[in-house]
Structure formats: C-alpha cells, structure tokens
Amino acid sequence: MEGITLRSLFRKKQEGKKITMVSTYDYLSAKLCQQAGIDCILVGDSLGMVFQGLDTTLHVTLEDMIYHTKVVKRGAGDTFLIVDMPFMSYQVSLEEALRNCGRVIKETGANAVKLEGGEEVAELVHRLVNIGIPVVGHVGFTPQSVHALGGYRVVGRLEEEGEKVKRDFKALEEAGAFMVVLESMPRALAKEITETSKAITVGIGAGPHCDGQVLVFYDLVGLVEDIKPKFVRRYLKGAELFRNALKKFREEVEQGLFPSEEESYG
Ligand code: KIV
C-alpha cells in the first residue's frame, strides 16, 4: 500500500473526499488512529494543555514536541504525520526557525511541520518548502497568540478581522503551504476560503465546508471533561468508562476478588 502522502491527500481534495486528522501525543492513540484509517496525525502543541495540564500552549518546548512525535511515530504507521512547531521555536529569526524545523523533521520522521500565523511566517514557509519540508499553516484563532487575541474566541466575525484571515491564508498559500488549519471562525468565512483554495483546508470550529476536519483525540473520546468547546463532538464517554473501570479495580482489590487463581502464577 502507498500510505498517505501529499499526492494522495491532494487526490482526496480533488475528488471531493473529506480528509481526517486527529491531534494526539502518544503511541497507543496513534496506533488506534492508524487502525481506524485516519489520514493525518498531528502532534499538536495542545499537548501542553491536554497532556501536561498547563493553561496555554505557550510553555511547550521543542524537546517536548520531538519526544512526543517520536513516540507517536511508532504507532502512526503510514499515517501522514505533522508536527506543531512550538511557540518561540520559529519566531526569533529565519535561520533559527529553519534549523529547528529541520531538526524536527530529521529527528522524528514526521512528514511535515505546522506553523501558526499568516503574512508574518510566509517567508519562512517559502524557505521551508524550497528545501523540501512540507508546511501546514494555521489561521483564524491561533492558540500561541491567545494573549494578543484576548482569550479563546471566534476570529473573523468583524469584517476587518475576516479580511485579515483571508490575507493570511493567501500569503500561506502563495508561499507554498500545502495545507492550512482554519480554527474557530465563522463557517461562511471558511467556506469562502475553501472554495477558491489550492491548499487543503482542515477545519476545527470552522464549519462543515473545509476539505477536512481535525479534533483532539482526548476530546473526541470524551476523556477531557472540564471544557467542551462548541465544535467538539464526543464520540465516547471516555472519562466515565475509565473512571468506572478504575473504581471496579479498586473495589475488587479491596474485596480480595483480584487477582484470581487464573491471574496468578503457580
Ligand atoms: O495543537 C493542536 O492540537 C492543534 C489542533 C487542534 C489543530 O493545533
């Protein structure tokens, strides 16, 4: 089998078939994504919040991303693997950004890097594409700019903001980004962008008209209970199932029911 490649992803877009992406950070969930036929796995810097329990994605380091991507790669098989570049790993200088992106690709075996922002990262995107590193962009709500954006919110409702999102998208597309994540924006804006886009659009909180959709694994299986953004669909009551299993284990140990004879060595 060919596996998932840039070519097969573009073929899907051309044929009007939806593309699926899951953001995850560990070996077992990556293996489940691969077995379920998910097209792309993103090792997202959302791991700072979901996996490390921090309040934003801003504290995630390059070493964190490299570690988690190596772990995910072992379970991902031929799924297309994308790594989020963390905050301050690509903003200081073009040279440092190129070195960091190159290091991530070299050390992890990922297929592409993802950067947040539009016009301000266009030159970097162009340089990366020229040296053979596929790039995924990310516009609309960009979590690494949470403070500048004034909190978690929909971006692009005001005309001026919508125009800025469109300019950012265009800049990424012209620079050669093959895919762009559209996060938390009105569905009409995502539709308008997707309709004329050569790049693949993947939405999260951007409505149904994007070329594909992405969710975070732990949201999707219902392990995250504290927050549920409007755009998250929980396909499982994961936290409840896990809690019940743990309670049962505790009760059975306390009652002397676990382990049984069959679960013990002679
Ligand atoms: O960090 C992440 O998981 C992401 C996706 C939600 C798009 O950027």
Side-chain angles (χ1 to χ4, degrees), residues 113-117 125 135-139 172 177-182:
V113 295
K114 179 164 89 57
L115 313 171
E116 293 186 12
V125 173
V135 180
V136 179
H138 186 155
V139 298
L172 291 171
F178 79 97
M179 179 184 272
V180 181
V181 169
L182 308 182

Side-chain angles (χ1 to χ4, degrees), residues 93-103 124 127-128 131:
S93 71
L94 200 55
E95 198 177 312
E96 189 176 295
L98 288 168
R99 211 181 303 284
N100 285 338
C101 292
R103 193 181 152 205
L124 172 60
R127 292 284 297 273
L128 287 167
I131 59 172

Side-chain angles (χ1 to χ4, degrees), residues 21-25 42-48 50 57 65 84 114 116 137-138 141-144 181-183 202-204 214-217 219 231:
M21 183 192 290
V22 172
S23 176
T24 200
Y25 333 112
L42 167 69
V43 183
D45 63 354
S46 54
L47 73 85
V50 180
T57 63
M65 295 312 298
D84 243 343
K114 179 164 89 57
E116 293 186 12
H138 186 155
F141 179 77
T142 44
Q144 290 175 15
V181 169
L182 308 182
E183 179 163 351
V202 176
I204 178 158
V214 53
L215 280 179
V216 171
F217 176 83
D219 283 330
F231 56 78

Side-chain angles (χ1 to χ4, degrees), residues 188-209:
L189 179 58
K191 182 171 186 272
E192 189 186 331
I193 288 173
T194 302
E195 274 169 359
T196 54
S197 151
K198 288 195 285 292
I200 296 164
T201 63
V202 176
I204 178 158
H209 304 290

Side-chain angles (χ1 to χ4, degrees), residues 12-262:
K12 275 192 126 174
K13 176 177 167 76
Q14 275 149 21
E15 291 169 357
K17 293 183 181 154
K18 293 286 187 185
I19 289 161
T20 51
M21 183 192 290
V22 172
S23 176
T24 200
Y25 333 112
D26 66 274
Y27 166 76
L28 284 177
S29 62
K31 199 165 164 183
L32 292 171
C33 290
Q34 193 268 331
Q35 289 166 348
I38 298 296
D39 295 307
C40 307
I41 293 178
L42 167 69
V43 183
D45 63 354
S46 54
L47 73 85
M49 299 171 80
V50 180
F51 190 85
Q52 298 174 332
L54 297 164
D55 58 342
T56 68
T57 63
L58 300 175
H59 319 277
V60 175
T61 66
L62 192 61
E63 303 309 322
D64 290 336
M65 295 312 298
I66 291 174
Y67 170 80
H68 281 277
T69 309
K70 281 181 174 171
V71 163
V72 165
K73 174 73 183 166
R74 290 179 206 131
D78 57 9
T79 312
F80 196 88
L81 185 57
I82 301 161
V83 194
D84 243 343
M85 294 303 294
F87 180 57
M88 293 312 284
S89 70
Y90 59 99
Q91 289 89 346
V92 176
S93 71
L94 200 55
E95 198 177 312
E96 189 176 295
L98 288 168
R99 211 181 303 284
N100 285 338
C101 292
R103 193 181 152 205
V104 162
I105 292 292
K106 262 184 136 158
E107 293 182 22
T108 65
N111 303 97
V113 295
K114 179 164 89 57
L115 313 171
E116 293 186 12
E119 290 171 308
E120 69 280 16
V121 292
E123 194 184 346
L124 172 60
V125 173
H126 181 71
R127 292 284 297 273
L128 287 167
V129 172
N130 270 353
I131 59 172
I133 299 181
V135 180
V136 179
H138 186 155
V139 298
F141 179 77
T142 44
Q144 290 175 15
S145 308
V146 61
H147 298 313
L149 289 168
Y152 293 88
R153 65 176 179 90
V154 176
V155 170
R157 279 201 175 121
L158 298 173
E159 199 186 328
E160 204 179 302
E161 219 174 44
E163 289 305 316
K164 166 84 177 119
V165 171
K166 284 192 261 180
R167 277 201 309 278
D168 281 339
F169 181 86
K170 204 85 210 128
L172 291 171
E173 194 179 50
E174 280 168 11
F178 79 97
M179 179 184 272
V180 181
V181 169
L182 308 182
E183 179 163 351
S184 298
M185 67 177 68
R187 58 174 172 262
L189 179 58
K191 182 171 186 272
E192 189 186 331
I193 288 173
T194 302
E195 274 169 359
T196 54
S197 151
K198 288 195 285 292
I200 296 164
T201 63
V202 176
I204 178 158
H209 304 290
C210 301
D211 297 314
Q213 296 291 329
V214 53
L215 280 179
V216 171
F217 176 83
Y218 299 88
D219 283 330
L220 189 156
V221 298
L223 283 171
V224 178
E225 281 187 317
D226 309 342
I227 39 168
K228 188 192 168 299
K230 183 180 168 72
F231 56 78
V232 166
R233 186 177 295 179
R234 292 179 181 148
Y235 286 85
L236 202 66
K237 289 185 175 162
E240 202 175 301
L241 287 171
F242 276 42
R243 213 167 20 242
N244 287 343
L246 290 165
K247 272 189 199 155
K248 193 123 181 81
F249 167 70
R250 178 180 56 75
E251 282 162 13
E252 291 190 351
V253 170
E254 286 170 359
Q255 291 161 14
L257 297 172
F258 178 83
S260 65
E261 282 297 308
E262 297 80 62

